[in-house]
Amino acid sequence: MVSRQIEKAQRKVEAHNFDIRKNLLDFDDVNNDQRKVIYAQRDELLDAESVKDNVDGIRDDVIYDIVARFVPPNSIDEQWDLAGLEATLSSDLGLSLSLTDLVKRHEELDAAGIAEKVREEVDRHFQEKESAVGGETMRALEKHVMLTVLDQSWKEHLARMDYLRQGIHLRGYAQKQPKQEYKKEAFELFSEMLEHAKREVVTLLARVRIRSEEEVAALEAQERQQMEAQLRQAQFQHQDAGGYSADEEVEQMALGDNPQQVAQVTREAPKVGRNDPCPCGSGKKYKHCHGQLS
């Protein structure tokens, strides 16, 4: 009877452990599907010689989303927030564009026309940047930025997924299936991560500034001049400090800014040893008479 009870308890424990492993595997399958998508994109970026087409497509999507937040499609001018759109373009893309004046000059502009005008200005901004740094440098920069943003966004997404999985079982108290809820919210987080990565790529490429060789050389020369000036100033201050020796410097620090002459103490009578007779004539040793330590 004891053996049967032990066997029954062991089967229950093994079944419980199997359910735990099965749940973990189901949750990991969701992460694994997303991981395959990210790694496929990353391999494609690594193998591609140029990602210009990818950047152009991402840029159009990002610009459309930004404009749509402030100037909704098929809307009237009373619904537009041109000031907010100008501020967002300036802070995110470094683009100064007066849409308010543009609409005053062209009253026939609608939401689609404003979106097209913004897209043209952003394209011109990127073309000017490419002309300044060169096409080869721009292609390398685009590839580097896309890989960096993708890796960082994926690491942050994995942390959010782990946090979601820790509390997803509480959905069972609301009569919901934790696995289905996890799949649904994981998909939403993954979509948000991709949109955030797109916007981050465009904003970084729009705001980044690459110095030319002449600017780098001028900056290095300026830094050398500042270092030489600091060295000359330090040497000049050291010379003005005076030619004190080490002992004189210690004495000068002890005396302060207003040194005073210290009178030397001279002894009128000869020094009396501790075992010598006391000068008072008592016949005792000096250490037992006037030389006693108090």
Side-chain angles (χ1 to χ4, degrees):
M1 182 179 65
V2 174
S3 299
R4 285 197 301 272
Q5 293 295 330
I6 294 175
E7 184 179 358
K8 185 184 296 185
Q10 186 175 1
R11 283 200 300 268
K12 291 182 178 179
V13 172
E14 291 178 354
H16 178 67
N17 293 336
F18 176 77
D19 290 338
I20 293 176
R21 291 193 298 271
K22 187 173 182 300
N23 288 331
L24 292 177
L25 184 61
D26 292 338
F27 287 138
D28 189 66
D29 286 341
V30 178
N31 294 358
N32 191 44
D33 293 338
Q34 297 180 358
R35 188 180 298 111
K36 289 179 180 178
V37 175
I38 293 297
Y39 283 13
Q41 292 183 357
R42 197 175 192 281
D43 292 339
E44 182 180 354
L45 291 176
L46 289 173
D47 296 337
E49 296 182 359
S50 174
V51 294
K52 185 178 185 303
D53 295 337
N54 304 66
V55 173
D56 293 342
I58 291 174
R59 186 171 67 239
D60 292 341
D61 294 340
V62 171
I63 296 304
Y64 176 79
D65 293 338
I66 292 176
V67 175
R69 284 193 291 122
F70 298 94
V71 183
N74 302 323
S75 60
I76 58 178
D77 53 358
E78 286 81 2
Q79 298 174 321
W80 299 348
D81 184 9
L82 298 179
L85 179 56
E86 293 174 359
T88 301
L89 292 175
S90 177
S91 60
D92 292 354
L93 305 178
L95 184 64
S96 298
L97 182 61
S98 180
L99 295 174
T100 305
D101 297 339
L102 180 64
V103 172
K104 290 180 179 179
R105 293 195 305 267
H106 304 279
E107 297 181 355
E108 70 279 2
L109 275 179
D110 56 358
I114 293 177
E116 182 64 21
K117 182 63 177 178
V118 172
R119 190 186 64 81
E120 292 176 357
E121 291 296 327
V122 173
D123 291 344
R124 182 184 59 80
H125 179 67
F126 273 81
Q127 290 175 1
E128 291 178 355
K129 187 179 295 292
E130 182 175 346
S131 301
V133 302
E136 184 177 355
T137 303
M138 195 65 182
R139 300 289 85 77
L141 178 63
E142 291 171 348
K143 188 173 184 179
H144 173 73
V145 169
M146 290 194 70
L147 287 172
T148 303
V149 171
L150 184 63
D151 292 344
Q152 184 64 28
S153 300
W154 175 244
K155 288 188 292 185
E156 295 175 355
H157 175 71
L158 289 179
R160 287 193 294 267
M161 292 282 286
D162 184 66
Y163 181 77
L164 173 64
R165 185 167 62 180
Q166 291 177 4
I168 197 66
H169 296 287
L170 298 176
R171 305 293 176 89
Y173 292 105
Q175 304 299 322
K176 296 181 179 180
Q177 289 292 335
K179 295 179 184 178
Q180 298 299 327
E181 292 294 315
Y182 181 78
K183 291 181 180 179
K184 182 179 69 174
E185 296 203 14
F187 177 76
E188 293 176 357
L189 289 176
F190 188 70
S191 300
E192 292 177 2
M193 184 266 293
L194 293 178
E195 294 300 323
H196 173 75
K198 289 180 180 179
R199 180 164 183 153
E200 192 70 14
V201 168
V202 175
T203 55
L204 284 177
L205 289 174
R207 292 180 298 177
V208 70
R209 180 175 179 273
I210 301 178
R211 294 188 176 95
S212 61
E213 296 182 358
E214 294 79 6
E215 293 177 339
V216 173
L219 183 61
E220 292 178 351
Q222 183 180 0
E223 291 179 352
R224 285 196 300 267
Q225 292 177 359
Q226 292 178 354
M227 292 180 62
E228 292 175 356
Q230 292 176 358
L231 289 175
R232 288 195 299 268
Q233 184 178 3
Q235 293 175 357
F236 180 75
Q237 292 177 353
H238 180 71
Q239 292 175 358
D240 289 347
Y244 293 111
S245 62
D247 295 337
E248 290 173 340
E249 288 182 359
V250 174
E251 182 180 358
Q252 186 70 17
M253 292 174 62
L255 294 176
D257 296 335
N258 299 319
Q260 298 178 357
Q261 295 294 334
V262 179
Q264 184 176 2
V265 179
T266 58
R267 189 184 303 275
E268 297 178 355
K271 183 178 180 180
V272 180
R274 291 181 56 78
N275 292 320
D276 295 340
C278 186
C280 68
S282 63
K284 298 179 181 180
K285 292 184 178 180
Y286 179 70
K287 64 181 180 180
H288 295 307
C289 188
H290 287 79
Q292 290 183 359
L293 296 176
S294 56

